[in-house]
């Protein structure tokens, strides 16, 4: 079922961290092409519920439904709706675990018509669910200061002001409606960045994509929902691909596991009045090995973190 050329990042390590066992219930919160889902179902005689807001993944889900029958179910929805989704599946809690491969998928990047990739020419879209405003509409709706803030807040782009200024200047001279037109503008500002490891447009495209899909807000909602539905022994395994995601996950994990040493010192800490309900599985994030990074450049920034509920 899974494309032989498409191997999910750190899949083996993620499945090991999830501790998949027979007769338990699991959730793959970012289905994509179904790589993690298939690996989980092959690992043990367990039940799996998979979620993805991308309409394009339904064909892959149907293949798994046909192969695994009643052991697999799929919901085309945002993972922030986790609690209502499991209720629709006649569950209140999850006793096995949840895995999520965050960020943009290779399936989305590979399709030029989706507008996610700066290496492929296509419409400035970037919508994962296919609904809401497009990247083009966002760019035209913001003034220079607002656009600069988006590029900095969500992409940590050090040249956000200069890029925003040039976008505003150029967007009405010629219709800014394709990925390559945007890349051209960014390259004018970052013309001395060609020798750097990452593409000049990487951070700007990341920022627009996160803003369009409200990824950080959705992640926070997903984490809170996951905490509520996991039973003792169940694990939450997350793979992040940039510092903004990883910071949110790290701080959340530290908070619910009582790991004060790495909490943000500038944030006032609540007094501990309850027993710790989760434990950290890996003290430091698990990283991909060099062999995987060579085969898949997307893996180079990946970090895997996992926790397990210990008491209700």
């Amino acid at each position: 079922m899974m494309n032989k050329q498409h191997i999910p990042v750190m899949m083996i390590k993620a499945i090991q961290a999830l501790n998949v066992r027979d007769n338990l219930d699991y959730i793959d919160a970012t289905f994509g092409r179904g790589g993690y889902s298939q690996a989980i179902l092959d690992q043990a005689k367990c039940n799996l519920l998979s979620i993805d807001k991308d309409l394009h993944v339904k064909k892959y889900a149907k293949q798994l439904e046909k192969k695994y029958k009643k052991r697999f179910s799929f919901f085309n929805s945002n993972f922030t709706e986790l609690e209502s989704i499991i209720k629709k599946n006649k569950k209140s809690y999850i006793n096995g675990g949840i895995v999520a491969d965050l960020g943009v998928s290779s399936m989305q990047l590979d399709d030029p018509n989706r507008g996610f990739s700066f290496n492929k020419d296509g419409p400035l879209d970037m919508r994962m669910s296919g609904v809401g405003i497009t990247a083009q509409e966002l760019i035209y709706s913001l003034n220079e200061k607002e656009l600069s803030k988006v590029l900095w807040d969500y992409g940590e782009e050090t040249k956000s002001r200069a890029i925003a200024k040039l976008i505003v200047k150029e967007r009405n001279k010629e219709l800014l409606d394709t990925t390559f037109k945007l890349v051209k503008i960014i390259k004018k500002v970052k013309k001395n960045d060609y020798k750097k490891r990452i593409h000049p447009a990487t951070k700007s495209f990341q920022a627009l994509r996160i803003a369009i899909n409200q990824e950080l807000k959705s992640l926070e909602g997903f984490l809170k929902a996951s905490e509520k539905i996991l039973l003792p022994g169940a694990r939450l395994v997350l793979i992040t691909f940039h510092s903004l995601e990883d910071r949110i996950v790290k701080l959340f994990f530290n908070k619910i596991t009582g790991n004060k040493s790495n909490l943000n010192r500038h944030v006032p800490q609540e007094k501990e009045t309850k027993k710790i309900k989760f434990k950290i599985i890996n003290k430091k994030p698990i990283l991909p090995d060099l062999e995987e990074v060579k085969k898949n450049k997307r893996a180079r920034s990946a970090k895997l973190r996992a926790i397990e509920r210990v008491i209700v």
Side-chain angles (χ1 to χ4, degrees):
M1 192 279 297
M2 187 172 56
N3 188 327
K4 292 181 179 179
Q5 295 181 340
H6 171 73
I7 302 174
V9 174
M10 287 198 285
M11 185 172 73
I12 295 175
K13 292 179 180 179
I15 301 305
Q16 289 175 341
L18 192 59
N19 191 25
V20 181
R21 291 157 289 165
D22 290 344
N23 304 315
L24 296 181
D25 298 319
Y26 293 88
I27 293 176
D28 177 359
T30 51
F31 180 74
R33 278 195 177 120
Y36 284 137
S37 290
Q38 183 170 320
I40 291 167
L41 291 164
D42 287 342
Q43 181 77 14
K45 292 181 180 180
C46 59
N47 301 307
L48 179 69
L49 184 157
S50 292
I51 304 166
D52 205 303
K53 62 182 177 180
D54 193 329
L55 296 171
H56 294 73
V57 308
K58 285 184 176 180
K59 59 183 178 182
Y60 301 110
K62 286 182 179 179
Q63 291 175 31
L64 286 187
E65 286 172 349
K66 186 177 180 180
K67 182 176 181 180
Y68 297 99
K69 313 288 184 195
K70 294 181 180 180
R71 287 210 290 134
F72 174 77
S73 57
F74 174 77
F75 282 83
N76 204 180
S77 184
N78 192 314
F79 61 17
T80 56
E81 304 297 321
L82 203 53
E83 289 182 274
S84 62
I85 290 171
I86 67 167
K87 285 179 182 178
K88 289 177 182 177
N89 207 44
K90 299 180 180 178
K91 301 285 182 182
S92 297
Y93 300 96
I94 297 299
N95 56 10
I98 304 170
V99 64
D101 174 356
L102 302 171
V104 66
S105 72
S106 57
M107 177 184 66
Q108 291 162 339
L109 287 169
D110 291 342
D111 185 352
N113 293 318
R114 305 294 300 276
F116 286 102
S117 177
F118 42 73
N119 289 317
K120 300 177 187 294
D121 197 18
L124 269 177
D125 194 319
M126 300 192 189
R127 296 172 300 173
M128 290 181 177
S129 64
V131 298
I133 66 168
T134 65
Q136 180 185 342
E137 290 168 335
L138 180 67
I139 286 171
Y140 276 91
S141 69
L142 301 177
N143 61 36
E144 183 181 322
K145 186 177 180 180
E146 292 168 335
L147 184 54
S148 174
K149 191 176 189 305
V150 166
L151 298 179
W152 171 250
D153 288 351
Y154 298 139
E156 298 178 312
E157 174 53 73
T158 56
K159 295 183 179 179
S160 59
R161 291 182 180 179
I163 293 172
K165 184 176 182 179
L166 190 58
I167 287 175
V168 170
K169 181 181 177 182
E170 298 291 329
R171 67 187 178 186
N172 292 321
K173 289 183 180 180
E174 179 187 11
L175 183 63
L176 183 52
D177 59 350
T178 70
T179 53
F180 276 8
K181 286 180 182 179
L182 178 58
V183 169
K184 185 179 179 181
I185 290 173
I186 296 168
K187 282 183 174 180
K188 285 182 180 179
V189 176
K190 303 184 73 171
K191 55 188 175 184
N192 296 321
D193 287 16
Y194 290 108
K195 293 182 181 179
K196 292 189 177 181
R197 188 164 62 98
I198 67 170
H199 190 284
T202 299
K203 293 182 178 181
S204 293
F205 269 64
Q206 173 188 300
L208 292 171
R209 190 199 80 225
I210 289 174
I212 290 296
N213 297 288
Q214 299 185 340
E215 291 177 34
L216 302 185
K217 183 179 179 181
S218 294
L219 174 58
E220 290 172 348
F222 165 70
L223 290 171
K224 290 176 183 177
S226 297
E227 180 186 5
K228 293 178 183 178
I229 67 171
L230 290 173
L231 289 174
R235 292 185 176 185
L236 176 59
V237 179
L238 301 176
I239 297 175
T240 63
F241 290 90
H242 55 77
S243 61
L244 297 175
E245 284 177 342
D246 189 59
R247 192 177 303 137
I248 290 171
V249 172
K250 180 182 177 181
L251 290 175
F252 181 80
F253 278 15
N254 284 340
K255 180 181 178 182
I256 66 174
T257 60
N259 184 13
K260 297 180 181 179
S261 61
N262 290 319
L263 285 170
N264 191 335
R265 294 178 183 177
H266 301 291
V267 178
Q269 303 303 322
E270 298 177 3
K271 291 183 179 180
E272 288 294 330
T273 57
K274 298 180 180 179
K275 292 183 179 180
I276 300 304
K277 297 180 178 180
F278 286 84
K279 67 177 181 180
I280 290 179
I281 301 301
N282 48 306
K283 291 183 179 180
K284 293 184 178 180
I286 297 172
L287 305 177
D289 53 44
L290 292 175
E291 191 65 29
E292 180 171 6
V293 174
K294 287 180 181 178
K295 293 179 180 178
N296 183 4
K297 289 183 179 180
R298 182 174 176 255
R300 66 190 174 197
S301 59
K303 292 182 179 179
L304 187 155
R305 297 182 186 273
I307 55 173
E308 179 181 310
R309 181 178 279 278
V310 289
I311 61 170
V312 177

